């Protein structure tokens, strides 16, 4: 890709529902071309590629990521593969947009970002709620002082869908945790958030299915969240200030 008006050529790694959603969005954007798809099988790549009109169909993620004409890899593989596939794309000099969760912990996430910095490529964690217009409005309310000084926040994201198939913390909890960080983090204050209390229930598969936690931020603010794949909640978030909510 050269020049500001050049077409950005994408490779889609993974062929699930979220990958289908992404392809439909990319096809509506200017200067974007979905050039390639990579799957764990040739059959899977062909099925997905034929459905969405993707010309280059690869029976492995490695082939798609190494396509010399691809600029960006969208990582929509099973979540436990995300670190490996991010590194694969970075190794091949591709920019990366990775579905959540990008990594199971901060150590592995740092390895990914360090590798991207070394390779001089962009890596973006696809937490799409950060880009909602509502988030911009909430930030305006906070910055205006309308609710006073922000003291605490809570978030709940529970759904009765997929318990045991993956970690609730990594599937829906990430939305809660990133919201608390976004709402309560003060960049002028050094230090990292500390988990002061947590509880979880484990599915017979070994994956957590319900998690709740209380987090203290260095700015003396407290956040709490609940996430689950075994029951529903109102899937809401609230920020509390000294002068309002």
């Amino acid at each position: 890709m050269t020049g500001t008006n050049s077409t950005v050529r994408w490779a889609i790694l993974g062929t699930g529902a979220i990958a289908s959603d992404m392809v439909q969005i990319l096809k509506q954007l200017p200067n974007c071309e979905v050039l390639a798809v990579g799957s764990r099988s040739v059959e899977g790549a062909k099925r997905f590629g034929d459905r969405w009109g993707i010309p280059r169909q690869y029976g492995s993620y490695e082939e798609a990521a190494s396509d010399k004409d691809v600029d960006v890899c969208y990582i929509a593989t099973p979540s436990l593969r995300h670190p490996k596939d991010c590194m694969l794309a970075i190794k091949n000099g591709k920019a990366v947009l990775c579905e959540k969760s990008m990594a199971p912990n901060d150590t592995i996430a740092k390895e990914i970002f360090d590798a991207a910095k070394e390779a001089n490529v962009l890596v973006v964690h696809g937490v799409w709620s950060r880009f909602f217009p509502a988030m911009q409005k909430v930030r305006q309310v906070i910055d205006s002082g309308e609710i006073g000084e922000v003291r605490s926040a809570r978030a709940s994201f529970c759904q009765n869908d997929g318990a045991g198939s993956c970690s609730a913390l990594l599937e829906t909890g990430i939305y809660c945790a990133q919201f608390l960080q976004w709402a309560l983090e003060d960049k002028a204050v050094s230090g990292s958030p500390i988990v002061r209390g947590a509880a979880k229930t484990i599915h017979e598969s070994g994956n957590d299915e319900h998690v709740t936690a209380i987090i203290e931020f260095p700015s003396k603010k407290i956040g709490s969240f609940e996430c689950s794949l075994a029951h529903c909640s109102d899937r809401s978030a609230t920020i509390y200030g000294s002068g309002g909510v």
Side-chain angles (χ1 to χ4, degrees), residues 7 19 35 44-45 57 90 94 105 108 111 113 119 133 137-138 144 161 171 183 190 206-207 216 235 242 245:
T7 297
L35 180 66
Q57 303 165 0
I90 292 168
K94 314 301 185 188
N105 56 58
I108 295 177
E111 290 174 358
F113 284 119
K137 178 61 177 177
V138 171
S144 72
D161 178 20
E171 184 68 15
S190 62
N207 290 316
E216 180 183 352
R235 292 196 285 187
S242 58
V245 178

Side-chain angles (χ1 to χ4, degrees), residues 175-206:
Y175 288 113
C176 301
Q178 67 83 26
F179 176 81
L180 296 181
Q181 184 180 38
W182 177 85
L184 301 177
E185 190 174 54
D186 185 345
K187 294 182 179 180
V189 180
S190 62
S192 301
I194 299 173
V195 177
R196 291 302 188 187
K200 62 182 178 180
T201 59
I202 304 297
H203 189 270
E204 61 185 13
S205 67

Side-chain angles (χ1 to χ4, degrees), residues 33 60 98 112 147 159 214 222 226:
E33 178 186 1
S60 72
C98 182
I112 293 170
I147 63 170
Q159 58 190 38
I214 299 173
I222 302 294
E226 178 187 26

Side-chain angles (χ1 to χ4, degrees), residues 1-2 6-11 31 33 35 64-65 67-74 89 92-96 121-122:
M1 181 180 67
T2 58
S6 298
T7 297
V8 179
R9 297 159 298 188
W10 292 74
N31 302 321
E33 178 186 1
L35 180 66
D67 186 314
K68 63 181 178 61
D69 295 321
V70 165
D71 301 307
V72 186
C73 288
Y74 171 63
N92 282 279
K94 314 301 185 188
V96 174
V121 297
L122 175 68

Side-chain angles (χ1 to χ4, degrees), residues 9-235:
R9 297 159 298 188
W10 292 74
I12 309 298
L13 274 60
T15 57
I18 194 68
S20 292
D21 291 343
M22 185 64 175
V23 169
Q24 293 177 78
I25 292 169
L26 290 174
K27 284 182 172 291
Q28 298 178 56
L29 299 179
N31 302 321
C32 279
E33 178 186 1
V34 183
L35 180 66
V37 59
S39 180
R40 287 176 286 188
S41 70
V42 173
E43 295 78 14
K46 185 177 188 312
R47 183 167 56 250
F48 189 90
D50 288 350
R51 180 184 181 189
W52 299 115
I54 303 173
R56 301 185 187 180
Q57 303 165 0
Y58 296 109
S60 72
Y61 303 131
E62 290 78 9
E63 290 176 283
S66 62
D67 186 314
K68 63 181 178 61
D69 295 321
V70 165
D71 301 307
V72 186
C73 288
Y74 171 63
I75 310 298
T77 53
S79 59
L80 293 178
R81 284 192 56 106
H82 286 180
K84 177 180 179 180
D85 293 330
C86 283
M87 288 297 198
L88 174 65
I90 292 168
K91 179 182 177 181
N92 282 279
K94 314 301 185 188
V96 174
L97 173 58
C98 182
E99 267 301 329
K100 53 84 187 168
S101 57
M102 184 176 66
N105 56 58
D106 59 345
T107 299
I108 295 177
K110 185 176 185 301
E111 290 174 358
I112 293 170
F113 284 119
D114 286 348
K117 184 177 181 180
E118 179 68 23
N120 194 31
V121 297
L122 175 68
V123 171
V124 176
H125 193 191
V127 182
W128 67 324
S129 57
R130 283 285 181 103
F131 300 91
F132 289 174
M135 296 291 277
Q136 298 177 19
K137 178 61 177 177
V138 171
R139 177 55 65 190
Q140 290 173 6
V141 170
I142 292 173
D143 292 345
S144 72
E146 182 178 331
I147 63 170
E149 180 184 355
V150 172
R151 298 289 180 83
S152 67
R154 56 156 292 278
S156 175
F157 192 159
C158 303
Q159 58 190 38
N160 189 11
D161 178 20
S165 62
C166 58
S167 162
L169 185 61
L170 297 181
E171 184 68 15
T172 61
I174 184 173
Y175 288 113
C176 301
Q178 67 83 26
F179 176 81
L180 296 181
Q181 184 180 38
W182 177 85
L184 301 177
E185 190 174 54
D186 185 345
K187 294 182 179 180
V189 180
S190 62
S192 301
I194 299 173
V195 177
R196 291 302 188 187
K200 62 182 178 180
T201 59
I202 304 297
H203 189 270
E204 61 185 13
S205 67
N207 290 316
D208 60 80
E209 63 178 14
H210 183 200
V211 177
T212 185
I214 299 173
I215 304 171
E216 180 183 352
F217 287 78
S219 50
K220 296 184 179 179
K221 300 172 183 177
I222 302 294
S224 62
F225 76 82
E226 178 187 26
C227 64
S228 176
L229 293 177
H231 72 280
C232 297
S233 72
D234 56 0
R235 292 196 285 187

